[in-house]
Amino acid sequence: MSHAVWQVVSDSGLEGLTLRAVAASAGCTTGMVTHYFPDKKALLAHARSEMHRRMAARIDTLPTGPTPRDTLYTVAEQALPLDDERFLEAVVWSQFLLTTRNDPALLGEHIRGHASWISRLAALVRAACPDRPEPAVLDSRVRSLVACLDGLALNAVTAPDAYPPDLQRRVLETQLDLILEGSRSL
């Protein structure tokens, strides 16, 4: 069902996300969809939760890189829309993100997922930093990385030709150089 939600959001945006459209995409009845999801908000929250679960599972199976920086790069790269699966995830994430401003329940879901991502990246950045930054500096560096990843993802799903995968990878490399540089404070 999650894939059907993702496909509808990708093809039609949030305005096209209806129980009927998801049922058609999933090849089932609307009654089947409403059995599990009472409304559009529940569909979107489930799709967002499933996206986080899939991304975390993908990250958990990644091999550890030869250096902490390599491991950080490999994990951070999972947030970029570099292939069809991650592109679709980024589209759903961006649509979900826009809805959180006016919905306290969805905002809570976003805050929990975001905090988990920050925590995961903080451990990796801490391990990769040669200068062992103070907590406030570490937090700034992690949030700089997240802002870069989020911006790349949003731009890549909005204008894929302007942000092809090789450019996304180069920008990520540059951002890691900046945040891991010991003498630089962000």
Side-chain angles (χ1 to χ4, degrees):
M1 194 76 60
S2 298
H3 185 73
V5 172
W6 294 356
Q7 201 57 56
V8 170
V9 169
S10 180
D11 294 344
S12 306
L14 284 181
E15 56 280 349
L17 181 63
T18 64
L19 298 170
R20 181 174 291 130
V22 171
S25 180
C28 66
T29 66
T30 304
M32 173 76 115
V33 175
T34 60
H35 179 74
Y36 295 102
F37 307 103
D39 56 24
K40 178 178 177 171
K41 183 166 98 174
L43 281 170
L44 195 55
H46 170 75
R48 172 71 153 81
S49 178
E50 180 65 12
M51 183 199 69
H52 270 279
R53 187 197 65 72
R54 289 174 63 162
M55 184 174 169
R58 210 172 40 241
I59 289 169
D60 290 343
T61 63
L62 292 171
T64 302
T67 68
R69 184 193 191 284
D70 293 329
T71 300
L72 172 60
Y73 176 88
T74 302
V75 169
E77 188 183 58
Q78 297 307 303
L80 298 176
L82 299 172
D83 56 35
D84 290 343
E85 178 182 5
R86 289 182 282 178
F87 186 89
L88 191 53
E89 288 174 357
V91 168
V92 170
W93 167 78
S94 64
Q95 293 289 331
F96 178 90
L97 195 59
L98 292 173
T99 65
T100 63
R101 292 191 63 228
N102 301 316
D103 190 309
L106 292 178
L107 179 59
E109 177 74 21
H110 168 69
I111 289 169
R112 282 186 296 281
H114 188 71
S116 174
W117 182 230
I118 292 283
S119 178
R120 184 183 287 256
L121 288 175
L124 294 168
V125 170
R126 186 182 310 105
C129 277
D131 64 337
R132 298 290 184 214
E134 295 294 320
V137 172
L138 176 66
D139 186 63
S140 291
R141 290 178 183 190
V142 171
R143 290 180 190 277
S144 294
L145 175 58
V146 170
C148 176
L149 294 169
D150 289 355
L152 279 172
L154 285 171
N155 281 294
V157 299
T158 304
D161 292 339
Y163 288 86
D166 60 319
L167 175 63
Q168 293 177 59
R169 288 182 175 103
R170 285 194 315 272
V171 170
L172 175 55
E173 288 283 357
T174 300
Q175 184 66 22
L176 290 183
D177 289 344
L178 290 172
I179 69 168
L180 297 177
E181 188 177 300
S183 63
R184 182 171 173 86
S185 176
L186 297 176

